[in-house]
């Protein structure tokens, strides 16, 4: 595959996983809020969409990645994954950070209320997804300490990531 075709594929992926989510968010009619809340929403949306984009930085996308060294792709995938996973793992805290700057309920009290309110299915699912994400990150971080070969770990990691994405996308 020549350089121009590869470059075109990367540009298309950037448009798909950054441009389209931002266009959808901008045109969704979501009520505008403070700059801090808007920034947190955009950061979370981009992190989630980039997690979807991580599947294109794996061996299943050999066509577009041909010509690149797989070791380099793996390093990029790992770096981006830790960045986006970190954003998604602190997401529950980011929800309550704006409350610190507002009058009314204390931000810590709001956080405790959110994580202990098991009467809402969205909260229960959110906590489940957070735990699944945490497991995904920890198994990735401590991969060499797990009693799995690299190939078996890669399959486990892919299935765990796919499970997380499918469940998170289908949350209602």
């Amino acid at each position: 595959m020549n350089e121009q075709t590869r470059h075109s594929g990367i540009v298309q992926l950037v448009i798909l996983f950054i441009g389209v989510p931002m266009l959808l968010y901008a045109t969704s009619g979501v009520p505008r809020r403070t700059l801090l809340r808007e920034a947190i929403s955009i950061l979370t949306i981009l992190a989630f969409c980039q997690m979807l984009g991580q599947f294109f930085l794996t061996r299943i996308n050999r066509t577009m990645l041909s010509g690149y060294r797989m070791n380099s792709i793996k390093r990029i995938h790992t770096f981006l994954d830790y960045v986006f996973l970190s954003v998604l793992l602190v997401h529950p805290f980011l929800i309550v950070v704006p409350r610190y700057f507002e009058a009314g309920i204390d931000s810590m009290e709001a956080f405790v209320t959110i994580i202990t309110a098991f009467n809402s299915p969205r909260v229960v699912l959110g906590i489940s997804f957070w735990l699944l994400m945490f497991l995904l990150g920890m198994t990735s971080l401590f991969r060499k300490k797990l009693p799995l070969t690299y190939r078996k770990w890669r399959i486990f990691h892919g299935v765990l990531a796919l499970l997380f994405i499918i469940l998170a996308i289908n949350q209602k």
Side-chain angles (χ1 to χ4, degrees):
M1 181 182 276
N2 68 26
E3 187 67 30
Q4 184 177 6
T5 306
R6 254 195 329 251
H7 180 68
S8 172
I10 291 171
V11 169
Q12 290 171 357
L13 286 177
V14 167
I15 290 170
L16 180 64
F17 291 106
I18 294 176
V20 171
M22 290 300 89
L23 178 66
L24 290 174
Y25 182 73
T27 61
S28 68
V30 174
R32 297 299 168 223
R33 300 163 298 180
T34 64
L35 182 62
L36 178 61
R37 286 182 184 226
E38 288 293 324
I40 290 170
S41 294
I42 289 171
L43 182 65
T44 304
I45 290 168
L46 284 177
F48 183 75
C49 291
Q50 295 312 307
M51 291 296 281
L52 290 173
Q54 287 290 75
F55 285 103
F56 288 93
L57 290 176
T58 62
R59 295 176 196 271
I60 61 173
N61 192 20
R62 290 179 194 251
T63 305
M64 192 173 79
L65 298 177
S66 66
Y68 293 107
R69 291 181 35 228
M70 196 46 78
N71 195 24
S72 299
I73 297 298
K74 183 180 168 275
R75 270 195 302 247
I76 293 168
H77 175 89
T78 303
F79 171 76
L80 292 175
D81 196 31
Y82 287 140
V83 169
F84 302 132
L85 193 63
S86 298
V87 169
L88 292 175
L89 286 174
V90 298
H91 171 69
F93 303 102
L94 293 176
I95 290 172
V96 296
V97 165
R99 294 200 179 273
Y100 179 77
F101 301 104
E102 299 170 350
I105 190 169
D106 180 51
S107 57
M108 193 59 176
E109 187 179 333
F111 178 72
V112 170
T113 302
I114 288 172
I115 64 169
T116 58
F118 295 116
N119 54 350
S120 169
R122 294 187 111 191
V123 171
V124 174
L125 286 172
I127 292 171
S128 302
F129 297 147
W130 190 91
L131 291 171
L132 193 57
M133 254 189 321
F134 183 75
L135 178 65
L136 187 63
M138 288 298 107
T139 57
S140 179
L141 191 61
F142 298 112
R143 173 184 63 82
K144 293 183 180 175
K145 298 200 185 307
L146 295 173
L148 298 171
T149 63
Y150 177 72
R151 184 169 174 80
K152 286 181 182 177
W153 172 83
R154 210 175 71 216
I155 292 168
F156 173 72
H157 182 73
V159 168
L160 201 58
L162 198 57
L163 179 67
F164 165 72
I165 293 297
I166 289 170
L167 291 175
I169 286 175
N170 288 320
Q171 179 181 342
K172 292 185 180 182

